[in-house]
Amino acid sequence: MKLKYILITVCCFFTLTGQADEGMWMLGNLNKQTRKTMKELGLQMSADKLYSPKRPSLKDAVVSFGGFCSGVVVSEDGLVFTNHHCGFSSVQQHSSVEHDYLKDGFVARSREEELPNPELYVRFLLRTEDVTKRVLGAVKPSMNEMERSSAVDSMMLVIGGEVSHKDSTLIGIVDAYYGGNEFWLSVYRDFNDVRLVFAPPSSIGKFGWDTDNWVWPRHTGDFCVFRIYADRNNHPAEYSPENVPYHPEYVAPISLDGYREGSFCMTLGYPGSTERYLSSFGIEEMMNNSNQAQIDVRGVKQAIWKREMDRNDSIRIKYASKYDESSNYWKNSIGTNRAIRKLGILEKKRAMEQELRRWIQQNPEEREKLLQLFTDLELNYKNRREVNRAQAYFIESFLYAPELVQLALKILNFDFEGEEKTVVAGLKDIVEQYSNLDLDIDKEVFTAALKEYRSKVDTTFLPAIYHTIAQEYNGDEKAYVDSLYAHSELTTPRGLKRFLERDTTYQIFDDPAISLGIDMLTMLFDMNMQMQAPTSEIIRGERLLNGAIRRMYASRNFYPDANSTMRLSFGTVAGYTPFDGAEYAYYTTSKGVLEKVKANVGDVDFAVQPEILSLLSSGDFGRYADEKGEMKVCFISNNDITGGNSGSAMFNAKGELLGLAFDGNWEAMSSDILYEPKMQRCIGVDVRYILFIIEKYGKASHLVQELKISD
């Protein structure tokens, strides 16, 4: 019975290699089995229509948006759809109390009104190429893990650099796949002039806020519209009033036909990272260290931010973007740890590893290479456990919590001798951070972080400032923080200005914030050095484990973990059963918006302007209504996504746009580690709702007229 249970569990674990709805597939490496499965599910496009390095294809309409999200090109004049939360920082930067685009939304009535965003870029993938043999050709059998890593990294940089050397408008990046067992070159072209065109009010784009984040049913109109600009030759160019809208290679057509349960659906975008092949030891470390540190420290920090944001509109605008980013990962960590426990992920991983142990024992060639694999992995994770935990809390408490420390470190590490463009952009970033900083809030956050860190780690890992607090401030963290901020010139841009102007009366290394930053970097370096040996062996062990899994299940159709490169996932539109006695439908409608508003009176997460409620209540949805006359808002599919997929295009069988992916679901938050076919869902905003809001609420029919809408 025990063996039978293990085999069933292992088969369940490896549904990732056999289910049509799982996998983040490389477009340039779709094998026959994957293409066949897609056709069987209903795909009506050939593989070369999805990806071709020589002629326009669907991949040419999909972009990496800013390096942290995805987007899709929807007009001949370079309009890009992405998520509202992906454009949130840009909307915030253009907002003020007088022009509150976060609250009221933004519409450019003409090209001249479109707002530039110097920090943004979009990246188009041109082609991919397998360079594994060349990269691993630099590895010698006599090399240890550090030497191997150095040789591999050097060769990756050389191959990538050759692309830009041949064509300065291109960028070559070599990425590792399958734990460093394969390497692929991606060739990109970036466009750096990206302008804000349309943003719905946050009551639409962020409807539900933290309450609904990662939760289904969802009623969030999570979309934003930007435009790509180029020079008059349609080539990449830095921002200039002389630039013109970019004319793309391929424009994604839009479907108003919608979907039904079981409809084919595929998602194209740039998922950030997954750990589907990670050992059980690595999962335990992730749960107890990095995830728990985010949960604890960010929870304390965000409570302070949120309290002040709710009190003051000026603070709300200043802190909106950083709160949004922080809270997203905070809730993700909570959900991930919860799902790992509830779904028995560790037990499933351990069962698979037990089966792998048997296979190694039964194969002499594998036994010779891997006999100590699991013993070594367990030992090395154990050897770095306490330092790794302390480092996770250290980073959250001192590098991500007090912004004064962040600013000090930015200034300390700033490359003033770099290219003019880089220097200017870096200085703008620092000035922008100052403009969105409230010192009283930052002091309270720092004080709280000091207390939280001390309560969570062993005294061995306390920085020297705790001794200073005890000896000079009688153990009063607040008194220490008040003194630090009072004596540092870096609490405002004044100190940076004095430093840049070479003011002889100001020695930046004597500034207490800089001194603290140096102490923090020194301690972080010491922690890394303590973990160096076990970490090196862990990297090696995880790579060997990845390779062993693929050899053991050689007949299965494997896909590599996400690594911020373009990926395709496919499956069907489908509801699910979250728990016994409950059934979740595959879509939501505008009725749900009205119901949530009514049920949550007084809750700012569900506050919606009266004019929006009136519009949704009217029932006048025009051509954007479904066959029942209803306005669909969101829908779900079993497409396999993760962070970075936000803004990814969700296409039907013909390659027509159905909507934009923007979230996963709470019941399957462990999906970065293990795909759960019965539970995992991709939440998307319906393109018809997007167009309805643009046209009917935003009165921006000129934007809709640019689109290629299928009859």
Side-chain angles (χ1 to χ4, degrees):
M1 285 296 291
K2 185 176 180 182
L3 177 59
K4 180 179 179 182
Y5 167 77
I6 290 174
L7 290 175
I8 291 173
T9 304
V10 170
C11 288
C12 289
F13 179 81
F14 277 101
T15 55
L16 66 94
T17 59
Q19 289 286 335
D21 47 27
E22 177 178 1
M24 299 180 187
W25 306 96
M26 299 168 63
L27 269 179
N29 192 34
L30 287 177
N31 57 33
K32 289 183 179 179
Q33 181 179 342
T34 304
R35 295 198 298 269
K36 180 175 180 289
T37 303
M38 294 175 72
K39 290 288 186 182
E40 290 172 347
L41 276 179
L43 178 66
Q44 299 176 30
M45 302 178 70
S46 60
D48 65 339
K49 296 292 185 182
L50 293 173
Y51 168 88
S52 173
K54 297 179 180 179
R55 61 185 65 87
S57 57
L58 193 61
K59 63 104 171 140
D60 296 311
V62 176
V63 298
S64 171
F65 186 84
F68 51 82
C69 277
S70 303
V72 56
V73 182
V74 291
S75 88
E76 295 288 354
D77 284 333
L79 280 183
V80 173
F81 283 177
T82 188
N83 287 157
H84 183 267
H85 76 261
C86 296
F88 199 72
S89 177
S90 296
V91 179
Q92 181 262 330
Q93 288 172 20
H94 292 297
S95 295
S96 64
V97 174
E98 296 76 22
H99 299 286
D100 193 344
Y101 300 138
L102 290 174
K103 180 181 178 182
D104 302 325
F106 170 79
V107 184
R109 301 294 173 188
S110 66
R111 302 280 169 86
E112 290 72 27
E113 292 183 6
E114 295 175 357
L115 301 176
N117 305 277
E119 79 288 353
L120 269 185
Y121 69 93
V122 295
R123 171 167 288 175
F124 288 89
L125 174 68
L126 277 64
R127 63 181 178 87
T128 58
E129 178 186 343
D130 186 355
V131 293
T132 303
K133 289 183 179 180
R134 190 174 172 194
V135 171
L136 293 183
V139 177
K140 307 303 178 186
S142 60
M143 289 179 172
N144 60 32
E145 190 61 27
M146 291 185 67
E147 292 169 338
R148 180 190 189 278
S149 178
S150 179
V152 165
D153 289 347
S154 296
M155 185 55 67
M156 290 168 71
L157 288 173
V158 167
I159 296 172
E162 290 171 353
V163 172
S164 298
H165 183 73
K166 292 178 181 177
D167 185 339
S168 61
T169 70
L170 302 182
I171 297 168
I173 299 176
V174 177
D175 296 286
Y177 295 76
Y178 297 110
N181 289 302
E182 287 187 16
F183 299 86
W184 286 71
L185 167 69
S186 295
V187 178
Y188 302 103
R189 178 171 284 126
D190 289 358
F191 287 80
N192 298 315
D193 188 352
V194 183
R195 305 183 194 180
L196 178 64
V197 176
F198 185 99
S202 292
S203 58
I204 292 174
K206 293 284 290 180
F207 181 74
W209 293 80
D210 281 347
T211 304
D212 272 7
N213 194 16
W214 303 105
V215 172
W216 182 260
R218 200 67 173 275
H219 300 82
T220 309
D222 198 346
F223 77 94
C224 221
V225 185
F226 290 78
R227 192 186 304 278
I228 309 168
Y229 279 76
D231 67 18
R232 295 190 178 278
N233 295 314
N234 210 38
H235 296 154
E238 297 302 317
Y239 168 77
S240 168
E242 304 302 316
N243 287 347
V244 295
Y246 170 65
H247 302 303
E249 292 286 322
Y250 192 99
V251 173
I254 293 173
S255 170
L256 300 184
D257 289 339
Y259 39 79
R260 293 172 178 80
E261 187 144 29
S263 295
F264 178 86
C265 182
M266 59 183 173
T267 302
L268 265 180
Y270 286 81
S273 64
T274 55
E275 298 285 357
R276 298 274 171 85
Y277 302 93
L278 186 65
S279 68
S280 61
F281 313 111
I283 296 172
E284 277 191 291
E285 181 182 85
M286 179 194 302
M287 288 178 65
N288 298 328
N289 296 357
S290 58
N291 284 5
Q292 197 59 49
Q294 283 194 2
I295 293 167
D296 294 338
V297 181
R298 294 191 184 197
V300 170
K301 172 181 70 176
Q302 289 163 194
I304 296 169
W305 284 358
K306 188 68 164 60
R307 183 195 68 212
E308 297 304 317
M309 289 168 68
D310 289 345
R311 288 176 177 175
N312 186 297
D313 280 344
S314 176
I315 297 299
R316 173 179 56 80
I317 293 170
K318 283 183 177 182
Y319 277 74
S321 179
K322 52 195 172 190
Y323 179 88
D324 184 63
E325 180 180 356
S326 178
S327 65
N328 192 48
Y329 287 99
W330 167 74
K331 191 169 182 180
N332 180 286
S333 293
I334 294 172
T336 298
N337 280 6
R338 173 185 175 276
I340 288 172
R341 295 185 181 100
K342 187 171 183 178
L343 299 177
I345 302 300
L346 278 171
E347 290 75 15
K348 293 176 182 178
K349 276 280 188 177
R350 289 166 182 153
M352 181 276 293
E353 290 168 356
Q354 184 61 33
E355 189 66 17
L356 188 59
R357 281 187 173 99
R358 290 196 187 92
W359 178 77
I360 291 170
Q361 287 283 2
Q362 294 167 3
N363 290 270
E365 185 177 340
E366 300 292 342
R367 187 167 64 243
E368 183 179 346
K369 295 183 296 183
L370 303 175
L371 184 62
Q372 297 298 315
L373 174 61
F374 290 103
T375 302
D376 289 346
L377 272 172
E378 183 176 16
L379 177 63
N380 283 300
Y381 272 109
K382 181 180 179 181
N383 286 343
R384 79 172 190 184
R385 181 185 302 152
E386 291 306 315
V387 186
N388 183 271
R389 173 179 166 81
Q391 187 184 71
Y393 277 93
F394 185 90
I395 290 170
E396 288 292 331
S397 299
F398 301 120
L399 304 188
Y400 290 169
E403 291 188 75
L404 177 62
V405 176
Q406 295 172 26
L407 286 161
L409 291 175
K410 280 185 179 181
I411 294 169
L412 182 65
N413 293 305
F414 199 89
D415 181 11
F416 292 99
E417 304 301 322
E419 294 183 5
E420 181 180 357
K421 172 189 170 184
T422 305
V423 171
V424 171
L427 289 175
K428 284 183 177 179
D429 176 61
I430 292 173
V431 172
E432 181 74 22
Q433 186 166 358
Y434 272 118
S435 69
N436 291 318
L437 173 65
D438 181 283
L439 291 179
D440 288 334
I441 295 175
D442 204 49
K443 287 193 289 185
E444 186 176 354
V445 166
F446 197 178
T447 303
L450 283 165
K451 294 177 180 179
E452 185 68 16
Y453 180 77
R454 184 172 58 184
S455 73
K456 291 297 192 295
V457 304
D458 188 86
T459 55
T460 308
F461 302 108
L462 295 181
I465 54 172
Y466 285 92
H467 179 75
T468 302
I469 292 169
Q471 295 296 315
E472 299 181 21
Y473 297 91
N474 199 30
D476 188 340
E477 290 93 350
K478 183 178 184 302
Y480 163 76
V481 171
D482 286 341
S483 176
L484 172 68
Y485 282 62
H487 290 91
S488 174
E489 286 287 304
L490 297 181
T491 53
T492 70
R494 180 179 62 250
L496 175 61
K497 184 172 183 290
R498 292 178 67 186
F499 173 63
L500 293 175
E501 292 176 348
R502 292 183 168 83
D503 183 343
T504 57
T505 65
Y506 176 58
Q507 299 299 320
I508 196 167
F509 286 100
D510 292 334
D511 191 291
I514 291 291
S515 298
L516 176 60
I518 292 173
D519 290 344
M520 293 302 178
L521 287 181
T522 301
M523 186 163 180
L524 188 63
F525 177 79
D526 288 343
M527 288 178 169
N528 283 330
M529 291 305 294
Q530 291 179 54
M531 293 190 292
Q532 186 179 57
T535 296
S536 179
E537 289 303 307
I538 286 169
I539 293 171
R540 174 180 179 273
E542 293 286 0
R543 184 181 72 251
L544 294 176
L545 174 62
N546 193 304
I549 290 172
R550 293 171 68 204
R551 291 194 300 277
M552 179 180 175
Y553 296 95
S555 62
R556 296 184 182 271
N557 191 16
F558 282 92
Y559 60 89
D561 269 316
N563 59 359
S564 296
T565 58
M566 184 183 283
R567 299 297 179 88
L568 164 74
S569 67
F570 62 92
T572 56
V573 174
Y576 69 106
T577 301
F579 49 84
D580 185 49
E583 292 286 341
Y584 281 169
Y586 63 93
Y587 67 91
T588 59
T589 71
S590 57
K591 291 179 182 178
V593 177
L594 302 175
E595 290 169 355
K596 284 184 176 179
V597 170
K598 186 176 180 180
N600 295 276
V601 175
D603 187 338
V604 295
D605 284 4
F606 297 95
V608 178
Q609 290 92 328
E611 57 269 31
I612 297 173
L613 297 178
S614 177
L615 181 64
L616 296 180
S617 299
S618 71
D620 182 16
F621 305 124
R623 62 174 176 162
Y624 305 121
D626 67 8
E627 65 279 0
K628 297 179 182 178
E630 295 180 331
M631 180 77 261
K632 284 190 169 69
V633 175
C634 296
F635 66 106
I636 50 175
S637 70
N638 51 26
N639 292 170
D640 194 356
I641 66 164
T642 188
N645 270 123
S646 293
S648 292
M650 299 179 74
F651 294 111
N652 64 15
K654 299 177 183 178
E656 298 167 335
L657 191 66
L658 295 174
L660 302 175
F662 70 89
D663 220 345
N665 60 316
W666 187 249
E667 296 83 7
M669 292 297 289
S670 57
S671 62
D672 283 356
I673 301 165
L674 177 64
Y675 182 90
E676 286 285 349
K678 292 183 179 180
M679 286 290 185
Q680 187 167 332
R681 293 296 180 268
C682 162
I683 303 175
V685 55
D686 194 307
V687 74
R688 293 170 293 183
Y689 187 57
I690 293 174
L691 301 186
F692 172 75
I693 295 299
I694 291 174
E695 182 176 328
K696 300 298 184 181
Y697 177 77
K699 304 292 191 294
S701 57
H702 62 287
L703 297 178
V704 177
Q705 290 168 8
E706 285 191 44
L707 309 177
K708 184 180 178 182
I709 299 177
S710 300
D711 296 328

